[in-house]
Amino acid sequence: MTDQPWTAICRVDDIPRAGARRVARAGATAVALFRTDDDQIFALLDRCPHKGGPLSQGIVFGHAVACPLHNWSIALADGQARAPDSGCAARFAVKVEDGIVMLDASELRHHARDAGVIAIAATGGD
């Protein structure tokens, strides 16, 4: 990643282990922050690539989240749906410093602004 301004969102401890926290964005789909059992933090657009379900309401297991609507498994590292499903939720750059979770300020403003955007690089059926 390049040197970019970061926006402090919350403390790591504000996100439950194997859970999520939703970050609202004005005029855009929210971002979902995920914390794994091993305390890694990931950020994806809060929209499943299948039917638009809120990933922040899904069940986190390992380094994936199960969409609450149709149980699609989405990899947290890259937003890719696991086979046999296909699709991708937009990923957001995230970093943690001194226990504070931060997102790239520019991405928060501009990345995946259209709720229909679901296939952006950079972590089946009904």
Side-chain angles (χ1 to χ4, degrees), residues 111-126:
H111 189 47
R113 298 290 302 175
D114 178 352
V117 174
I118 56 175
I120 296 178
T123 108
D126 293 349

Side-chain angles (χ1 to χ4, degrees), residues 48 50 52-55 57-59 65-74:
C48 179
H50 178 224
L55 295 176
Q57 294 178 25
I59 296 171
V65 62
C67 176
L69 295 185
H70 300 100
N71 207 33
W72 273 35
S73 178
I74 308 296

Side-chain angles (χ1 to χ4, degrees), residues 86-103:
S86 64
C88 185
R91 188 184 73 80
F92 287 75
V94 61
K95 77 175 183 175
V96 177
E97 283 186 0
D98 299 322
I100 303 296
V101 177
M102 293 179 268
L103 294 175

Side-chain angles (χ1 to χ4, degrees), residues 1 9 14 31-32 42-43 55-57 61 64 66 72 76 79 83 96-97 112-113:
M1 280 182 263
I9 303 298
D14 293 334
V31 174
F42 298 93
L55 295 176
S56 62
Q57 294 178 25
F61 61 99
W72 273 35
L76 296 175
V96 177
E97 283 186 0
R113 298 290 302 175

Side-chain angles (χ1 to χ4, degrees), residues 1-123:
M1 280 182 263
T2 61
D3 280 340
Q4 64 239 17
W6 294 89
T7 300
I9 303 298
C10 63
R11 299 195 52 76
V12 169
D13 291 340
D14 293 334
I15 307 168
R17 276 201 174 97
R21 179 173 177 159
R22 188 174 179 273
V23 179
R25 299 191 300 163
T29 302
V31 174
L33 292 176
F34 300 95
R35 180 179 177 191
T36 61
D37 280 327
D38 61 355
D39 290 328
Q40 291 191 49
I41 305 295
F42 298 93
L44 298 175
L45 190 68
D46 193 20
R47 185 176 192 280
C48 179
H50 178 224
K51 299 277 186 176
L55 295 176
S56 62
Q57 294 178 25
I59 296 171
V60 175
F61 61 99
H63 287 189
V65 62
C67 176
L69 295 185
H70 300 100
N71 207 33
W72 273 35
S73 178
I74 308 296
L76 296 175
D78 61 9
Q80 290 290 327
R82 291 187 174 164
D85 302 316
S86 64
C88 185
R91 188 184 73 80
F92 287 75
V94 61
K95 77 175 183 175
V96 177
E97 283 186 0
D98 299 322
I100 303 296
V101 177
M102 293 179 268
L103 294 175
D104 178 301
S106 179
E107 284 188 356
L108 275 175
R109 286 190 305 275
H110 305 293
H111 189 47
R113 298 290 302 175
D114 178 352
V117 174
I118 56 175
I120 296 178
T123 108

